Amino acid sequence: YGMLYYEEESLSMSVERKLQLQELVFTGKQIPSFVEAVRSISYEDGCKIYFTDGSWVICRFSGTEPLIRIAAEGNTLDQTRQYIQKWEAFLKQ
């Protein structure tokens, strides 16, 4: 029940950067630090982080373009945007 807010962004990258990010996120299991408590993380279709309040964020590589896609669903629009901004900042390090 209640309203959920959904947002998504795409970041372009080089082949070299994709390899670095795969190593960082999927091999090294590194993720941004979030304020919200993490309930679980799934690596089934990207890196999807589920939070205890029911919100989530996913970071995944496009299968057809040199992009990494970030999508989130939260209880407020601000929360949803913060999840995406955290991933963007983390991936640009």
Side-chain angles (χ1 to χ4, degrees), residues 15-85:
V15 173
E16 295 81 20
R17 185 64 181 149
K18 179 179 179 179
L19 294 173
Q20 293 169 345
L21 294 177
Q22 284 176 320
E23 178 68 27
L24 178 73
V25 177
F26 299 103
T27 303
K29 307 290 189 208
Q30 302 280 327
I31 62 168
S33 58
F34 294 96
V35 174
E36 293 79 3
V38 173
R39 180 176 43 120
S40 64
I41 301 173
S42 171
Y43 291 94
E44 195 168 310
D45 182 32
C47 177
K48 189 170 185 179
I49 303 167
Y50 297 91
F51 299 97
T52 57
D53 68 354
S55 60
W56 56 264
V57 63
I58 187 169
C59 175
R60 60 182 293 277
F61 292 103
S62 168
T64 58
E65 302 173 271
L67 299 173
I68 192 158
R69 301 189 191 280
I70 306 164
E73 187 174 83
N75 298 306
T76 67
L77 188 56
D78 186 52
Q79 179 187 47
T80 303
R81 289 182 176 156
Q82 284 181 16
Y83 290 159
I84 291 173
Q85 290 169 354

